[in-house]
Amino acid sequence: MVSHSLLNTGSEEYTVTEISAAKLNRMAIMSTSFVLLLLLALCRFSTAAAAADNTDDSHPKTTPSTYIVHMAKSQMPASFEHHTHWYDSSLKSVSDSAEMLYTYTSAIHGFSTRLTPEQAASLSSQPGVLSVLPELKYELHTTRTPEFLGLGQTTETMPQSDSAGDVIIGVLDTGVWPESKSFDDTGFGPVPSSWNGTCESGTNFNSSNCNRKLIGARYFAKGYEATLGPIEESKESKSPRDDDGHGTHTATTAAGSFVPGASLLGYAPGTARGMAPHARIAAYKVCWVGGCFSSDILAAMDKAIDDNVNVLSMSLGGGNSDYFRDSVAMGAFSAMEKGILISCSAGNAGPSAYSLSNSAPWITTVGAGTLDRDFPAFVSLGNGKNFSGVSLYRGNSNSMPSALTPFIYAGNASNATSGNLCMMGTLSPDQVKGKIVMCDRGVNARVQKGAVVKAAGGLGMILANTAANGEELVADAHLLPATSVGQRNSDVIKSYLFSDPNPTATILFEGTKVGVQPSPVVAAFSSRGPNSITADILKPDIVAPGVNILAGWSGAAGPTGLAIDARRVAFNIISGTSMSCPHVSGLAALLKGAHPEWSPAAIRSALMTTAYTAYKNGQKLQDVATGKPSTPFDHGAGHVDPISALNPGLVYDLTVDDYLNFLCALNYSASEISSLAKRSYTCDEKRRYSVRDVNYPSFAVNFEDRTTSTNVAKYTRTVTNVGPAGTYKAKVTSDNPSVKITVEPDTLSFGQVNEKKDYTVTFSASGSAPLNANSFGRLEWSDGKHVVGSPIAVSWN
């Protein structure tokens, strides 16, 4: 029996056999896995500063604007009796007339004032000044993710379809917390007549918990109980109720209703909403304290197909195996046959190559990227230097001393060989009490490290990235004042820590910051290609927001997921491809509502071919793991762009027969094909099948001989017109001049909707290549209005 895991990033190893933090903690397993999630939050903003009229062009005047000045309060010189005196002195050093509008002591440390740009620049260079930022005007709008993706609440950006409320998203996860405001059904019409499901009763859950938004809920535990014994109902609800939080987070990310005033402890404030707020939700609980078992998963998929869902969202994975041995792939094949789109997370095993799961071509495989929002928390050292980090800690004003605090490295406060990791029972209270502790990231959950420091008497924690994590920063709602810093900053901080005989530090929390650039970037944890099962199918398919995502949460678990966390929140911020997957699930539901006649393959094609791979300034999407441009093995077709996906121009469609031919191309036996197709199917012995002819919206080219003078590969594709009549011309780009790419024909003319045209792409590589060499490119068809893009990855094996 195969155990699957939820693909969030609470566990540092990102292995696919781990489960959520709350569950592992309840079982007293050392390494808890913290379910982080979803970013929906907030607010469109605009600068409040305005330039004044210059009546005299020869002597232009600069009108002061409001700035927020962030101060390192602990660096206040001893000559000042109070921090406000220091703030005022710093301000007066650049302007005799400027006055402080407000001083801040809890939300941030600092003040606001009116300054000219020149004065603001001068102030920013003063000792103890962390930053001087222009005031921004916020308009509470939607959660940050819909805004970041260009989704609005008006028909101007996302036209409403009469069938939008008829689309049903099935979510296989840890269940659902029905009391969440994200499941409010105000304004919803009757349950769609196509719905065949039910709302099951069980521990702490009955049929009345469902409504016109949450139209169905089921739970599946027989496989789990057969392996691990009866569910302990005093600790876990044997019902669809979500005691963990992960399932509620993914469901509300996909299709949560509008909830004004949402935030996590004041972070990421705004109106929370899912990607498809008018869609219906059906929850299928398949994951429990001990994991998610394939027998239960298949049973849930079976019911979901019978229940007549339109989209299946599955933020779980269990490694890679041949499709006929993969329970998810098999269940997904059946769902695809019924016209159901299956969206699955790629996994959190990045940035290693060949690390993704859920790679079957009938599954939409989703990687993770960042938003343009961050939660800065600075480390201020006794030597006067400051280093940026991130945190979601929210405590009272006395939680973190304003003065510099003794600072120690965890490895020097422990007799254990793994003491630097702040694992349970490894820290010496005598050495930690009253100090800030620096812990290395890895092995156990980030939030558990903070709990270990707190239990030993520490006042705060600085979580240090190592080479395995690089500069990737994921914010956590720690139980004590804490911040996470990247590897480069960690190395500098450690150098100070090890060289200063009396090191000191403090942490400065800055709240929520939006407009962070560049964004998005591919998350380091996001699993990567190439596809280890079928190298000629490029995976992942696409990336979507998956870092620091705000969404609904369970009332039975704290934001860290640790059993000792007594806090309760309506929304939580967590990260992982578990979060990016439901984004695409919800967007697929939007497209299904707008185009009910589209197949799952057509919907995926629209999302892929309209995805972007460059920022507005023309620079390529970045990979946070390398600091360099990402590749199709990292981002697939690119970052999702739902507005463009509504009108893609052309799509690459696939039928059940196309997938069966794909299985024949893999030389699967009749019994192996039958295990997927659920019927007898015999491949035509006279026909030459090729994986290269699968009508996929991307190209993965594999040359087996890297030493030969010339390698040639041909790929055939069919595009279907779903827009107005027009003529499309092909454009090819490649980063390797030794790879020649030709398209025949290079012009396609369409006179009507649903007209199909074929074309062939020939890849010719001259000269030898290093082992495991890769090159990348892109094919675009355009009629002047639409751009239909396909990523290209060429490999020499």
Side-chain angles (χ1 to χ4, degrees), residues 1-13:
M1 181 173 289
V2 179
S3 175
H4 293 254
S5 73
L6 306 173
L7 296 176
N8 59 326
T9 65
S11 172
E12 293 307 331
E13 295 304 307

mmCIF file with all atom_site columns, all heavy atoms in Angstrom, residues 1-13:
data_model
loop_
_atom_site.group_PDB
_atom_site.id
_atom_site.type_symbol
_atom_site.label_atom_id
_atom_site.label_alt_id
_atom_site.label_comp_id
_atom_site.label_asym_id
_atom_site.label_entity_id
_atom_site.label_seq_id
_atom_site.pdbx_PDB_ins_code
_atom_site.Cartn_x
_atom_site.Cartn_y
_atom_site.Cartn_z
_atom_site.occupancy
_atom_site.B_iso_or_equiv
_atom_site.pdbx_formal_charge
_atom_site.auth_seq_id
_atom_site.auth_comp_id
_atom_site.auth_asym_id
_atom_site.auth_atom_id
_atom_site.pdbx_PDB_model_num
ATOM 1  N N   . MET A 1 1  ? 0.852  -1.190 0.000  1.00 0.00 ? 1  MET A N   1
ATOM 2  C CA  . MET A 1 1  ? 0.000  0.000  0.000  1.00 0.00 ? 1  MET A CA  1
ATOM 3  C C   . MET A 1 1  ? 0.884  1.235  0.000  1.00 0.00 ? 1  MET A C   1
ATOM 4  O O   . MET A 1 1  ? 1.851  1.317  0.745  1.00 0.00 ? 1  MET A O   1
ATOM 5  C CB  . MET A 1 1  ? -0.901 -0.007 1.232  1.00 0.00 ? 1  MET A CB  1
ATOM 6  C CG  . MET A 1 1  ? -1.850 1.193  1.292  1.00 0.00 ? 1  MET A CG  1
ATOM 7  S SD  . MET A 1 1  ? -3.019 1.016  2.637  1.00 0.00 ? 1  MET A SD  1
ATOM 8  C CE  . MET A 1 1  ? -4.061 -0.281 2.026  1.00 0.00 ? 1  MET A CE  1
ATOM 9  N N   . VAL A 1 2  ? 0.568  2.196  -0.813 1.00 0.00 ? 2  VAL A N   1
ATOM 10 C CA  . VAL A 1 2  ? 1.388  3.388  -0.962 1.00 0.00 ? 2  VAL A CA  1
ATOM 11 C C   . VAL A 1 2  ? 0.849  4.506  -0.096 1.00 0.00 ? 2  VAL A C   1
ATOM 12 O O   . VAL A 1 2  ? -0.340 4.764  -0.064 1.00 0.00 ? 2  VAL A O   1
ATOM 13 C CB  . VAL A 1 2  ? 1.427  3.841  -2.431 1.00 0.00 ? 2  VAL A CB  1
ATOM 14 C CG1 . VAL A 1 2  ? 2.256  5.106  -2.570 1.00 0.00 ? 2  VAL A CG1 1
ATOM 15 C CG2 . VAL A 1 2  ? 1.986  2.745  -3.301 1.00 0.00 ? 2  VAL A CG2 1
ATOM 16 N N   . SER A 1 3  ? 1.730  5.181  0.619  1.00 0.00 ? 3  SER A N   1
ATOM 17 C CA  . SER A 1 3  ? 1.354  6.349  1.408  1.00 0.00 ? 3  SER A CA  1
ATOM 18 C C   . SER A 1 3  ? 1.736  7.607  0.664  1.00 0.00 ? 3  SER A C   1
ATOM 19 O O   . SER A 1 3  ? 2.857  7.735  0.195  1.00 0.00 ? 3  SER A O   1
ATOM 20 C CB  . SER A 1 3  ? 2.060  6.314  2.767  1.00 0.00 ? 3  SER A CB  1
ATOM 21 O OG  . SER A 1 3  ? 1.785  7.485  3.493  1.00 0.00 ? 3  SER A OG  1
ATOM 22 N N   . HIS A 1 4  ? 0.800  8.521  0.547  1.00 0.00 ? 4  HIS A N   1
ATOM 23 C CA  . HIS A 1 4  ? 1.040  9.793  -0.131 1.00 0.00 ? 4  HIS A CA  1
ATOM 24 C C   . HIS A 1 4  ? 1.169  10.895 0.903  1.00 0.00 ? 4  HIS A C   1
ATOM 25 O O   . HIS A 1 4  ? 0.824  10.732 2.059  1.00 0.00 ? 4  HIS A O   1
ATOM 26 C CB  . HIS A 1 4  ? -0.113 10.113 -1.087 1.00 0.00 ? 4  HIS A CB  1
ATOM 27 C CG  . HIS A 1 4  ? -0.193 9.174  -2.236 1.00 0.00 ? 4  HIS A CG  1
ATOM 28 N ND1 . HIS A 1 4  ? 0.180  9.508  -3.507 1.00 0.00 ? 4  HIS A ND1 1
ATOM 29 C CD2 . HIS A 1 4  ? -0.597 7.878  -2.295 1.00 0.00 ? 4  HIS A CD2 1
ATOM 30 C CE1 . HIS A 1 4  ? -0.009 8.483  -4.318 1.00 0.00 ? 4  HIS A CE1 1
ATOM 31 N NE2 . HIS A 1 4  ? -0.484 7.484  -3.603 1.00 0.00 ? 4  HIS A NE2 1
ATOM 32 N N   . SER A 1 5  ? 1.669  12.033 0.478  1.00 0.00 ? 5  SER A N   1
ATOM 33 C CA  . SER A 1 5  ? 1.817  13.157 1.400  1.00 0.00 ? 5  SER A CA  1
ATOM 34 C C   . SER A 1 5  ? 1.251  14.423 0.809  1.00 0.00 ? 5  SER A C   1
ATOM 35 O O   . SER A 1 5  ? 1.143  14.577 -0.393 1.00 0.00 ? 5  SER A O   1
ATOM 36 C CB  . SER A 1 5  ? 3.288  13.382 1.755  1.00 0.00 ? 5  SER A CB  1
ATOM 37 O OG  . SER A 1 5  ? 3.969  13.950 0.659  1.00 0.00 ? 5  SER A OG  1
ATOM 38 N N   . LEU A 1 6  ? 0.920  15.347 1.707  1.00 0.00 ? 6  LEU A N   1
ATOM 39 C CA  . LEU A 1 6  ? 0.483  16.679 1.309  1.00 0.00 ? 6  LEU A CA  1
ATOM 40 C C   . LEU A 1 6  ? 1.707  17.497 0.944  1.00 0.00 ? 6  LEU A C   1
ATOM 41 O O   . LEU A 1 6  ? 2.702  17.482 1.641  1.00 0.00 ? 6  LEU A O   1
ATOM 42 C CB  . LEU A 1 6  ? -0.259 17.346 2.464  1.00 0.00 ? 6  LEU A CB  1
ATOM 43 C CG  . LEU A 1 6  ? -1.423 16.530 3.032  1.00 0.00 ? 6  LEU A CG  1
ATOM 44 C CD1 . LEU A 1 6  ? -1.965 17.213 4.271  1.00 0.00 ? 6  LEU A CD1 1
ATOM 45 C CD2 . LEU A 1 6  ? -2.494 16.366 1.987  1.00 0.00 ? 6  LEU A CD2 1
ATOM 46 N N   . LEU A 1 7  ? 1.604  18.238 -0.163 1.00 0.00 ? 7  LEU A N   1
ATOM 47 C CA  . LEU A 1 7  ? 2.791  18.904 -0.670 1.00 0.00 ? 7  LEU A CA  1
ATOM 48 C C   . LEU A 1 7  ? 2.851  20.355 -0.239 1.00 0.00 ? 7  LEU A C   1
ATOM 49 O O   . LEU A 1 7  ? 2.698  21.279 -1.010 1.00 0.00 ? 7  LEU A O   1
ATOM 50 C CB  . LEU A 1 7  ? 2.842  18.758 -2.193 1.00 0.00 ? 7  LEU A CB  1
ATOM 51 C CG  . LEU A 1 7  ? 2.979  17.296 -2.616 1.00 0.00 ? 7  LEU A CG  1
ATOM 52 C CD1 . LEU A 1 7  ? 2.923  17.174 -4.119 1.00 0.00 ? 7  LEU A CD1 1
ATOM 53 C CD2 . LEU A 1 7  ? 4.244  16.674 -2.079 1.00 0.00 ? 7  LEU A CD2 1
ATOM 54 N N   . ASN A 1 8  ? 3.074  20.555 1.067  1.00 0.00 ? 8  ASN A N   1
ATOM 55 C CA  . ASN A 1 8  ? 3.375  21.871 1.586  1.00 0.00 ? 8  ASN A CA  1
ATOM 56 C C   . ASN A 1 8  ? 4.811  21.848 2.076  1.00 0.00 ? 8  ASN A C   1
ATOM 57 O O   . ASN A 1 8  ? 5.462  20.810 2.058  1.00 0.00 ? 8  ASN A O   1
ATOM 58 C CB  . ASN A 1 8  ? 2.409  22.243 2.708  1.00 0.00 ? 8  ASN A CB  1
ATOM 59 C CG  . ASN A 1 8  ? 2.459  21.266 3.842  1.00 0.00 ? 8  ASN A CG  1
ATOM 60 O OD1 . ASN A 1 8  ? 2.669  20.082 3.620  1.00 0.00 ? 8  ASN A OD1 1
ATOM 61 N ND2 . ASN A 1 8  ? 2.259  21.724 5.047  1.00 0.00 ? 8  ASN A ND2 1
ATOM 62 N N   . THR A 1 9  ? 5.337  23.006 2.538  1.00 0.00 ? 9  THR A N   1
ATOM 63 C CA  . THR A 1 9  ? 6.767  23.069 2.805  1.00 0.00 ? 9  THR A CA  1
ATOM 64 C C   . THR A 1 9  ? 7.119  23.156 4.276  1.00 0.00 ? 9  THR A C   1
ATOM 65 O O   . THR A 1 9  ? 8.164  23.654 4.631  1.00 0.00 ? 9  THR A O   1
ATOM 66 C CB  . THR A 1 9  ? 7.396  24.271 2.088  1.00 0.00 ? 9  THR A CB  1
ATOM 67 O OG1 . THR A 1 9  ? 6.845  25.469 2.646  1.00 0.00 ? 9  THR A OG1 1
ATOM 68 C CG2 . THR A 1 9  ? 7.115  24.232 0.610  1.00 0.00 ? 9  THR A CG2 1
ATOM 69 N N   . GLY A 1 10 ? 6.279  22.671 5.162  1.00 0.00 ? 10 GLY A N   1
ATOM 70 C CA  . GLY A 1 10 ? 6.620  22.742 6.566  1.00 0.00 ? 10 GLY A CA  1
ATOM 71 C C   . GLY A 1 10 ? 7.799  21.876 6.922  1.00 0.00 ? 10 GLY A C   1
ATOM 72 O O   . GLY A 1 10 ? 8.526  22.142 7.853  1.00 0.00 ? 10 GLY A O   1
ATOM 73 N N   . SER A 1 11 ? 8.000  20.787 6.213  1.00 0.00 ? 11 SER A N   1
ATOM 74 C CA  . SER A 1 11 ? 9.117  19.903 6.483  1.00 0.00 ? 11 SER A CA  1
ATOM 75 C C   . SER A 1 11 ? 10.284 20.277 5.603  1.00 0.00 ? 11 SER A C   1
ATOM 76 O O   . SER A 1 11 ? 10.144 20.511 4.419  1.00 0.00 ? 11 SER A O   1
ATOM 77 C CB  . SER A 1 11 ? 8.712  18.453 6.234  1.00 0.00 ? 11 SER A CB  1
ATOM 78 O OG  . SER A 1 11 ? 9.828  17.616 6.325  1.00 0.00 ? 11 SER A OG  1
ATOM 79 N N   . GLU A 1 12 ? 11.459 20.297 6.195  1.00 0.00 ? 12 GLU A N   1
ATOM 80 C CA  . GLU A 1 12 ? 12.598 20.841 5.483  1.00 0.00 ? 12 GLU A CA  1
ATOM 81 C C   . GLU A 1 12 ? 13.133 19.945 4.380  1.00 0.00 ? 12 GLU A C   1
ATOM 82 O O   . GLU A 1 12 ? 13.771 20.419 3.462  1.00 0.00 ? 12 GLU A O   1
ATOM 83 C CB  . GLU A 1 12 ? 13.722 21.147 6.474  1.00 0.00 ? 12 GLU A CB  1
ATOM 84 C CG  . GLU A 1 12 ? 13.378 22.275 7.412  1.00 0.00 ? 12 GLU A CG  1
ATOM 85 C CD  . GLU A 1 12 ? 12.947 23.511 6.684  1.00 0.00 ? 12 GLU A CD  1
ATOM 86 O OE1 . GLU A 1 12 ? 13.378 23.751 5.552  1.00 0.00 ? 12 GLU A OE1 1
ATOM 87 O OE2 . GLU A 1 12 ? 12.155 24.275 7.244  1.00 0.00 ? 12 GLU A OE2 1
ATOM 88 N N   . GLU A 1 13 ? 12.915 18.648 4.483  1.00 0.00 ? 13 GLU A N   1
ATOM 89 C CA  . GLU A 1 13 ? 13.465 17.783 3.456  1.00 0.00 ? 13 GLU A CA  1
ATOM 90 C C   . GLU A 1 13 ? 12.583 17.676 2.229  1.00 0.00 ? 13 GLU A C   1
ATOM 91 O O   . GLU A 1 13 ? 12.978 17.135 1.217  1.00 0.00 ? 13 GLU A O   1
ATOM 92 C CB  . GLU A 1 13 ? 13.707 16.375 4.037  1.00 0.00 ? 13 GLU A CB  1
ATOM 93 C CG  . GLU A 1 13 ? 14.774 16.371 5.131  1.00 0.00 ? 13 GLU A CG  1
ATOM 94 C CD  . GLU A 1 13 ? 16.076 16.959 4.644  1.00 0.00 ? 13 GLU A CD  1
ATOM 95 O OE1 . GLU A 1 13 ? 16.601 16.517 3.608  1.00 0.00 ? 13 GLU A OE1 1
ATOM 96 O OE2 . GLU A 1 13 ? 16.585 17.879 5.300  1.00 0.00 ? 13 GLU A OE2 1
#
